Amino acid sequence: MFAVSSRTSEWLDPQLAPVLVLIIVLAVVGTIVLFGLGLIAYSRRQTLRYLLVTFVLGMLVARSIVGLGTVLGVVPMTIHHLIEHSFDFLISIVILYTVYRSGSPTDTPSIKNEQT
């Protein structure tokens, strides 16, 4: 059903290839939908926070596409690891920066205060 190149046959069991491809295709579709929702949210709010969240969602789309390309034998495993782990690092930095820039704890109500 799915053609797996000889480059991927070293690390991918041919019986599991259809399952892995399906999961990654679902991840691509899901992250594209989330990225689209992020674009809509950013277009409405037009703040740095929404821009950064949308950027992170775009990186998640790219990660999923790279993963699909790797399974299909288009992206070599070395490039896959370089891109995926670099994006993991960048996503972490952007999320932490966004949280840092969102203000001090006194600016936003805490969960503890809302429950009382």
Side-chain angles (χ1 to χ4, degrees):
M1 181 174 186
F2 290 100
V4 179
S5 76
S6 61
R7 284 183 272 165
T8 60
S9 63
E10 300 165 357
W11 61 270
L12 180 60
D13 183 357
Q15 293 178 330
L16 296 177
V19 175
L20 185 59
V21 169
L22 175 66
I23 290 170
I24 295 176
V25 166
L26 290 174
V28 170
V29 170
T31 54
I32 288 173
V33 168
L34 288 174
F35 179 66
L37 291 172
L39 284 173
I40 291 168
Y42 173 69
S43 71
R44 290 183 180 177
R45 301 291 176 130
Q46 295 187 355
T47 64
L48 179 62
R49 183 182 306 165
Y50 281 83
L51 177 64
L52 292 174
V53 168
T54 304
F55 178 71
V56 165
L57 292 171
M59 285 195 291
L60 289 174
V61 171
R63 283 184 86 250
S64 298
I65 291 171
V66 168
L68 184 61
T70 303
V71 170
L72 297 177
V74 178
V75 177
M77 188 58 79
T78 305
I79 300 299
H80 165 88
H81 283 294
L82 180 66
I83 291 172
E84 299 254 339
H85 294 301
S86 297
F87 275 21
D88 289 342
F89 180 70
L90 288 172
I91 287 168
S92 300
I93 288 174
V94 173
I95 288 173
L96 289 174
Y97 176 77
T98 303
V99 169
Y100 174 78
R101 292 269 308 172
S102 65
S104 69
T106 58
D107 293 342
T108 56
S110 70
I111 295 172
K112 191 182 289 185
N113 291 341
E114 290 179 9
Q115 292 176 351
T116 59

